[in-house]
Amino acid sequence: MSLPQIIILGAGLGGTIAAYEIRDAVKGKAEVTVVNDQDDYWFVPSNPWVAVRWREPEAIKVHLPPIMKKKGIGFTSVGAKKVHAAENRIELNDGTSLNYDYLVIATGPELAFDEIEGLGPDGHTVSVCKTDHAAEAAEAFDRFCADPKPIVVGAVQGASCYGPAYEFALILDTELKRRKIRDKVPMTFVTAEPYIGHLGLDGVGDTKGLLESELRGRHIKWICNNRITGIEEGMMHCEELAGDGSVKATHDLPFGYSMLLPAFRGIDAVMGVEGLVNPRGFILADKHQRNPTFKNVYSLGVCVAIPPVGPTPVPVGVPKTGFMIESMVTAIAANLKLELAGKEPTEEATWNAVCLADFGDGGVAFVAQPQIPPRNLNWSSSGKWVHMAKVGFEKYFLHKVRRGKSEPFYEKLAMHALGIRKLRFK
């Protein structure tokens, strides 16, 4: 008698860890297979370092097939063409299909560069959303440094990931100082956020004060409630909105180098599947990470539909941070184990957030319990220790991926000692 089939769609930060943790949870009771569109895992949080050559792409890459094989996890890099949720089937890009008993969607997003004219690597700005984008950004930065001009960094309307924009602006400041050309480069930070440090979360601790102080101390001007109307070579056109949504001011910002985080949407393989996704293609999920319509479909990470924390003049999405995603993974693994035992899912992810934003010579850290307000814990701090902590975390997380381990016992003990848990108390 064949075992139930669990398919994990996507092998990024969440999908790779989910494969390891789910395999450990259901070993002997189900088969686990990962469907991805490439053979390699990339540690995306290090992409801003790649873009200024503090890291080479190969240093943050893990080749997954041999690790998955050793763990007893099936793996294909053919990629998914379409999820047929009503048929419990994934159609692959090579025309074949895989049937599943349970599906875990961890695809991450599609990058919506096309929603703003001139945005992205195919337009006039660079990106750090993917490691190959960051490598191209490094080439562009080298050319820029030979002929310094103004820089514009930020996140566009509808973006839901703001930390890397702040990181990259301040990493650029640090690197320009090292190259002795910071004095030749005016910098502007543009963001859809209603205030600096909002982060899509209505702030965490004093992120407003900490990040404003960092920008001010580094002579980086900023524009909030910013809506980008178009980008030409060397010129960005923006509208700054007032609280009532009216246009308060317009700005034409010249630049020689610009990195803007785009808005996200769901990938083509899930877009338009009724009952599975919202109009933007994000996966609908209940408190157990399970789809309300298709009860055998779970989801985690950036692809999950989460409503904004409140109305803002310019659309601002909600980020999904690393520890928050890992808490979703743990909840899904536990709930799949329950389902295979004939029980109903009961586990809920805490959605606690632990984040390190590196600035090259310092940084800001925050803990939000849970990530979405109101919170039980709302803390932030800054200092040079954050940079060292981010370096250490990079090495540690890559070590976990290479070992095929989701959460070593000492990590769990350390987090529990700090009162930071992945599952809610019942």
Side-chain angles (χ1 to χ4, degrees):
M1 192 173 193
S2 60
L3 293 173
Q5 299 296 309
I6 299 173
I7 291 181
I8 299 167
L9 183 55
L13 183 150
T16 301
I17 294 299
Y20 301 157
E21 191 159 337
I22 290 170
R23 173 60 177 168
D24 288 344
V26 305
K27 192 172 183 179
K29 298 179 181 179
E31 296 289 344
V32 178
T33 300
V34 173
V35 175
N36 199 39
D37 59 1
Q38 58 178 306
D39 284 335
D40 299 317
Y41 168 87
W42 303 89
F43 188 66
V44 171
S46 291
N47 284 351
W49 293 343
V50 172
V52 292
R53 300 197 183 281
W54 294 359
R55 289 290 185 281
E56 290 300 319
E58 291 297 312
I60 61 170
K61 182 179 84 170
V62 180
H63 192 57
L64 291 174
I67 302 170
M68 294 292 178
K69 184 178 180 180
K70 185 177 180 181
K71 291 286 290 183
I73 299 168
F75 184 87
T76 176
S77 58
V78 171
K81 183 178 181 180
K82 197 68 180 180
V83 172
H84 299 275
E87 302 172 25
N88 297 329
R89 176 173 68 92
I90 297 178
E91 180 184 354
L92 303 182
N93 286 325
D94 64 359
T96 63
S97 290
L98 290 175
N99 296 317
Y100 61 82
D101 295 285
Y102 299 96
L103 174 63
V104 178
I105 302 177
T107 60
E110 181 177 292
L111 307 172
F113 291 119
D114 58 301
E115 293 181 347
I116 297 176
E117 184 179 358
L119 177 65
D122 293 331
H124 306 295
T125 64
V126 302
S127 164
V128 295
C129 294
K130 296 183 177 181
T131 305
D132 59 341
H133 290 173
E136 293 172 6
E139 298 286 345
F141 184 63
D142 286 341
R143 295 192 296 271
F144 166 83
C145 288
D147 182 21
K149 294 175 182 177
I151 283 179
V152 180
V153 174
V156 309
Q157 56 268 29
S160 58
C161 187
Y162 297 90
Y166 287 103
E167 280 192 307
F168 195 55
L170 297 165
I171 284 170
L172 283 175
D173 172 81
T174 300
E175 180 61 19
L176 290 168
K177 288 173 180 174
R178 291 178 182 177
R179 298 193 187 204
K180 309 296 184 186
I181 55 173
R182 178 65 180 91
D183 60 310
K184 299 179 181 179
V185 183
M187 291 182 67
T188 304
F189 188 84
V190 296
T191 178
E193 301 162 275
Y195 59 83
I196 291 297
H198 180 281
L199 302 174
L201 299 169
D202 201 12
V204 181
D206 189 28
T207 49
K208 181 179 189 294
L210 291 172
L211 289 170
E212 278 190 358
S213 178
E214 287 284 350
L215 295 179
R216 191 178 295 110
R218 295 168 187 254
H219 306 285
I220 300 173
K221 297 179 180 179
W222 65 79
I223 304 171
C224 295
N225 288 321
N226 185 75
R227 180 171 65 196
I228 296 169
T229 57
I231 304 168
E232 303 169 16
E233 185 174 0
M235 185 65 69
M236 188 177 301
H237 305 291
C238 306
E239 294 177 338
E240 182 182 356
L241 302 191
D244 62 0
S246 62
V247 177
K248 177 181 176 182
T250 59
H251 304 274
D252 293 324
L253 303 176
F255 66 90
Y257 186 84
S258 176
M259 195 290 295
L260 297 175
L261 297 176
F264 294 159
R265 61 181 173 231
I267 67 168
D268 287 343
V270 299
M271 189 67 75
V273 180
E274 188 174 352
L276 182 66
V277 300
N278 70 9
R280 287 287 291 181
F282 293 108
I283 311 299
L284 301 170
D286 63 15
K287 63 183 180 179
H288 304 299
Q289 305 300 137
R290 187 168 66 163
N291 181 259
T293 302
F294 304 102
K295 300 289 189 179
N296 62 339
V297 177
Y298 289 83
S299 59
L300 62 97
V302 179
C303 68
V304 176
I306 301 178
V309 297
T312 52
V314 181
V316 172
V318 176
K320 289 90 171 183
T321 57
F323 192 84
M324 176 188 185
I325 294 171
E326 289 192 65
S327 78
M328 295 180 185
V329 168
T330 297
I332 291 171
N335 285 328
L336 284 171
K337 186 175 182 178
L338 287 169
E339 289 216 54
L340 290 169
K343 302 175 182 178
E344 277 294 300
T346 59
E347 299 293 353
E348 299 177 38
T350 58
W351 286 16
N352 288 335
V354 181
C355 189
L356 301 170
D358 170 62
F359 304 154
D361 55 357
V364 169
F366 67 78
V367 177
Q369 296 184 338
Q371 178 165 301
I372 309 301
R375 302 185 179 107
N376 296 314
L377 178 63
N378 196 38
W379 173 88
S380 60
S381 183
S382 63
K384 294 185 182 296
W385 67 271
V386 179
H387 172 69
M388 298 307 299
K390 184 71 176 278
V391 172
F393 177 72
E394 174 202 55
K395 296 182 184 303
Y396 172 68
F397 199 89
L398 284 168
H399 175 68
K400 284 205 303 183
V401 173
R402 292 182 178 117
R403 282 188 60 210
K405 190 69 176 174
S406 170
E407 186 184 40
F409 76 94
Y410 49 81
E411 177 186 336
K412 184 181 292 186
L413 286 174
M415 285 298 185
H416 281 199
L418 293 171
I420 304 171
R421 296 176 178 269
K422 291 181 178 178
L423 297 179
R424 289 186 180 275
F425 289 110
K426 288 183 277 187

